[in-house]
Amino acid sequence: MADTKGKAFDTKLFKRLLQFASPYRKQLVTAALGAIILSLCAALRPRFMKLAIDDGITAKSEDDLIYYIALIGVVLLGQVIFQLIFIYTSNWVGQQVIKDIRVKLFDHMLKFKMQYYDKSAVGRLVTRAVGDIETISSIFSQGLFMIISDLLMMGVVLGFMFYESWRTTLIVLAVFPIILYATRVFQKAMKVAFEEVRTQVANLNTFVQERVTGMKIVQIFTREAIEHKKFKAINKKHMDAWNKTVWYNSIFFPIAEMCTSVTIGLIAWFIGSRIAQGDPGYSIGILVAFISYIQMLFTPLRQIADKFNTLQMGMVAANRVFGILDTESQIQNTGTLRLDKTEGRISFDNVRFSYVEGEEVLKGISLDVKAGQTVAIVGSTGAGKSTIINLLSRFYEIDSGLISIDDVSIKEIQLEVLRKEIAVVLQDVFLFADSILNNITLNDTSITEEDVIAAAKAIGVHKFISSLPDGYHYNVKERGAMLSSGQRQLIAFLRAYVSNPAILVLDEATSSVDSHSEQLIQKATDKITQGRTSIVIAHRLATIKKADLIIVMEKGKIVEQGTHKELLAQESGYYKNLYEVQFMAEVV
């Protein structure tokens, strides 16, 4: 991510942002033409006002007065029309740009490794994908185009001023460097301030996201007062960051206003003295015109500073969004094979893996699973059981070794194809705030409601789903909050079953499941593992006994493997000890 801290404007970042606007060249040209004509109309108004005063009122010519008043009316109408075109077009382009950036960002995030999400705060990512991208739109709607429009107006106004009186214009320009210098200092200070604002916004979002998600833990352990205190501290930092911007604004704008007032005073004195001396080159009309010109010259400059704030906030947001877009954390999808028919043979050959460099979780794992086998993996917490699941689906990349399916390295298989052939049911089931049907099909149009109902009947969960209000169209709310843990797991079984995978990976924990749900889960397990290769992180003795092969893991290594009877026959074996400590209670 580019370091833009302290810079008033990052040209490289801006050019990159403009690439997203390039598909909308016609609209950009329309906005530019609107800005040019708008500037001309604005600058003509004081000119016609001067002529109305000098040639109409002073010369006592009613016809000229009416003529120039009519021209002022035409100019005002033109300003209204072209301002409408300019504002609408520039805002439209801004919305199109953020739509394209948001789609690209979300698509990029969809391909990140799980390791990226392990290390990234959800609230911060939400801020980037929603809040920061929304701020980028202001670059086009309120920042860039408005600044260009104001600069055009100032250029045209200066041209008219020199045409009316170059001496008077030089007096105006003598004050100009002061306000330009103040604007430059202001822009740099606001750049740093807005960096801090966006950082504190992300921190605030992250804190709120985590506490809302974990509210049950907060209340169970009566942490309300402590979390309230933490939130007040974070909220204060957020307020302090914004107060810096308020302070800079409160200094700059009075300085700009003072410069305007001083300039008008000088002009009034200079032109008034020339008129008093009888100089034919000066008139009341010129005085009125120059007062309008000064307002039109200095007011946009003050507004440019304000709009530059908006532009800078958008640039800070763009910098953060591009920081994510530049993050290379994708699984390399270089595989070309599609596996037309997967038999389901699985092989791990001396596989080593570490989540953190130098801290191996798997230490040279080797195992072979035959097609159609059910393999149960058992072991103590932290032995590496869940890691095998993550590696088989390529959620993480192995450090060394080889994982293959049907004697083909999983790296040679297209990632989408690989994951379609493997269905994973995790212990911690995630459901979206949607209907049961959509949570099962995941909006796959090739899976019909009739297919889902038939699958539900096959694994014995149709009755449970039908008993819910609206049945398969029942909305389970966020994370499936309307269902029990056992019911959520049954939905996950059904989701895996309808996808008809060649390989099933299953974490069938039932520690918080009632006996009725456990019976349904056991039936579902038996059904979905039938006729396909299954790897089960086993927590129930019934599942372990039925397994064709039991893998016993300890501290990242396979220490034993065999059938239930074979492993029990080993005196002082890991499995026998685990069986006596962990599973004997199920027998009693």
Side-chain angles (χ1 to χ4, degrees), residues 143-173:
L144 170 68
F145 290 163
M146 290 295 184
I147 290 173
I148 292 173
S149 175
D150 287 343
L151 288 173
L152 276 171
M153 182 181 294
M154 290 170 65
V156 173
V157 165
L158 272 174
F160 273 83
M161 289 172 69
F162 273 108
Y163 176 77
E164 296 289 356
S165 172
W166 65 269
R167 291 185 180 89
T168 311
T169 305
L170 290 178
I171 295 174
V172 175
L173 293 179

Side-chain angles (χ1 to χ4, degrees), residues 98 101-102 105 127-137 317 321:
I98 65 168
I101 295 176
R102 187 175 280 130
L105 178 67
T127 300
R128 300 290 176 268
V130 181
D132 281 341
I133 288 185
E134 199 63 44
T135 305
I136 291 173
S137 71
V321 169

Side-chain angles (χ1 to χ4, degrees), residues 30-151:
T30 302
L33 287 173
I36 292 168
I37 298 173
L38 183 62
S39 301
L40 286 170
C41 289
L44 281 170
R45 187 159 42 85
R47 168 69 179 169
F48 291 147
M49 184 67 72
K50 177 249 182 190
L51 293 173
I53 292 172
D54 290 345
D55 296 353
I57 298 173
T58 305
K60 298 181 180 179
S61 172
E62 188 176 353
D63 290 341
D64 285 342
L65 178 62
I66 293 172
Y67 173 70
Y68 288 119
I69 293 278
L71 285 178
I72 291 171
V74 172
V75 167
L76 286 171
L77 181 62
Q79 275 188 267
V80 171
I81 293 172
F82 287 102
Q83 191 166 33
L84 186 150
I85 292 171
F86 170 70
I87 292 175
Y88 176 80
T89 309
S90 59
N91 277 271
W92 185 89
V93 171
Q95 291 302 315
Q96 294 297 318
V97 167
I98 65 168
K99 178 202 72 174
D100 295 344
I101 295 176
R102 187 175 280 130
V103 168
K104 185 172 182 178
L105 178 67
F106 188 71
D107 182 61
H108 191 67
M109 289 168 64
L110 285 173
K111 298 180 177 68
F112 279 156
K113 300 176 185 177
M114 288 299 106
Q115 205 160 8
Y116 178 85
Y117 292 104
D118 293 342
K119 298 176 181 178
S120 302
V122 174
R124 195 173 297 275
L125 292 175
V126 171
T127 300
R128 300 290 176 268
V130 181
D132 281 341
I133 288 185
E134 199 63 44
T135 305
I136 291 173
S137 71
S138 62
I139 292 177
F140 297 92
S141 60
Q142 302 170 41
L144 170 68
F145 290 163
M146 290 295 184
I147 290 173
I148 292 173
S149 175
D150 287 343
L151 288 173

